[in-house]
Structure formats: C-alpha cells, structure tokens
Amino acid sequence: MTRRRTYAALAALALPLLAGAPPAQAAAPPGDRHYVDCSLTTPGDGTAAHPWTTLAEANAHPYGPGDRLLFRRGTTCTGTLQPRGAGSAAHPFTIADYGSAAGRAVIDGNGAHDAVLLADTSYVRLTRLEITNAAAPGSERNGVRLRLADHGAARGITLDHLAIHDVRGGDHKTLTGSSAIHVAVEGTTVPSWYEDLEIHHNDIRDATARASTSSPASPSATWSATSRTPTPTPDPGPRASASGSTTTP
C-alpha cells in the first residue's frame, strides 16, 4: 500500500512539470548569408561586417540549400558572376540584393561573354539585380546565360525582377549568344533539359539583338533541348523587338 501511495505521489509531481515544459524548438532553416560590396577595396570574408569585394571571391565559394548571395544596392561589380553549387526544392539558393540605396546592385559584364552564368545547377533564384554588358560592343555576349552540358535535369531555376539592359552583342548570332537571357543545352552523352524554369517580371531594354533565346549547341546532340516548363498564361503586354526594349510584367 505504501508503494502505491509513493508511485501516485511521484506521478502527481511529474504532471505539472510536463505541463509546464517548453515546446520543442523548430529546427532553423539551412543556409547562410554571404555579402558582396564591390565599392570596398579591403578583402573580406563574406559576412555583413566584412563583405567580399569582387566577383572572384563570390565565385570561389560553394553554395548549398538555403544560402543567399547578396549584393549591396547602389554598387557595381565588374566581370562574370558564376556561382557554384545548387539549392533544394524546399530551400533554393537565392542571389539578390541588400541595403537601402535607391539604385540597384549592378553586375556589369564589361564585355565578357556572360555577365551572369548559371551552369549545371538546380533550385536557384536570381532576382532584383541590374545586369548590363555594353563594353567592347560587337563581340558575342549575354546578360544572363543558363547552360547545361551533359547534366541531366535542371530543376527549379527562376529569373525574376531583373533589369537587363545594354547587352551590346554582335549582329552575327550563334548558338551561344548574343542575348539578354540565353538558355542553352549542350553535350552529346547525357540527355539534359530544364524543368520548372520560370522567367518573369523582368525589364529588358536595348539588347542586341535578342531579348531572350533558347538553343541546343549542335544539331547532332543526343539530348532534348525542350524546356519542360508549365504553359504560362498568355500575356497581352508588349514584346521586345530585336533592338528595342520591353518590360516583362
């Protein structure tokens, strides 16, 4: 009888403790923030206090699910942004801006073949940047190029709310440019394609001579160059001419 009373007393004490226990904390989402401020000259470590100062530093880091690569508004980085890595369906890798300056963060290709190159990757969002590539006009170049080479499926890539302008490519067009946005599939050994590729709400102006294009790299390739993207709702708004300007709503 004494044992039963002891067990009952212990149970009575445990109930209030359990009732008052704090709820389990939800796991923090994956990913880190990496900052770039090309107006600075002292190399940093990619933190908000000591941002990277060149595209080379940003390109050297491998990115993963939930990571954010952020460029300071009102500054310009020169060269090619070519980040490595990929996100996931639940936690994409995002390339965007930070700060409160009125002007956008600018990626200036400065005559390079691509101002931004996203190669063999998935679950990446590129948004809210200004992209230009006007130096040394007449040579082949692109604003943003998506490229697959014997990769397989590239899923969940989004280009939105970009301002792309003055992409001064040559008049002779090839399968690798020139375009404001160029989507390419290359290779001969692994079938490759895009799934859920979204390109929307971009302002494209003065791109010589195509606003956007999609192409395979050779007629004998053994992959599918078709973008497996849901059919969008028809848009009655304006469309770009070869050398004109447009705003994609």
Side-chain angles (χ1 to χ4, degrees), residues 84-206:
R84 299 184 294 131
S88 67
H91 303 286
F93 165 43
T94 301
I95 306 169
D97 60 356
Y98 77 99
S100 57
R104 290 183 184 239
V106 179
I107 307 296
D108 184 351
N110 196 38
H113 190 272
D114 308 297
V116 179
L117 174 60
L118 301 179
D120 297 334
T121 188
S122 289
Y123 301 113
V124 177
R125 182 186 181 195
L126 179 68
T127 184
R128 300 201 311 263
L129 300 180
E130 180 178 340
I131 297 167
T132 186
N133 200 354
S139 61
E140 181 180 291
R141 85 275 307 279
N142 301 291
V144 178
R145 182 159 70 113
L146 308 184
R147 176 179 178 267
L148 298 182
D150 295 321
H151 176 74
R155 299 181 172 92
I157 297 176
T158 300
L159 311 179
D160 70 282
H161 296 89
L162 301 171
I164 306 176
H165 62 89
D166 296 301
V167 180
R168 302 296 188 186
D171 292 333
H172 178 67
K173 300 305 156 192
T174 72
L175 295 176
T176 54
S178 298
S179 306
I181 299 175
H182 189 87
V183 182
V185 179
E186 305 172 11
T188 59
T189 60
V190 179
S192 300
W193 64 92
Y194 293 92
E195 292 184 3
D196 300 323
L197 171 61
E198 297 187 12
I199 302 174
H200 62 86
H201 289 82
N202 299 300
D203 184 355
I204 300 175
R205 303 174 185 271
D206 297 322

Side-chain angles (χ1 to χ4, degrees), residues 22-76:
Q25 296 295 320
D32 297 310
R33 294 194 175 199
H34 306 276
Y35 297 85
V36 184
D37 183 349
C38 288
S39 68
L40 302 178
T41 57
T42 303
D45 56 8
T47 61
H50 304 285
W52 291 322
T53 60
T54 66
L55 291 178
E57 292 171 294
N59 293 341
H61 184 84
Y63 300 96
D67 280 350
R68 297 175 67 85
L69 177 60
L70 305 174
F71 292 84
R72 188 177 185 87
R73 291 180 61 88
T75 67
T76 298

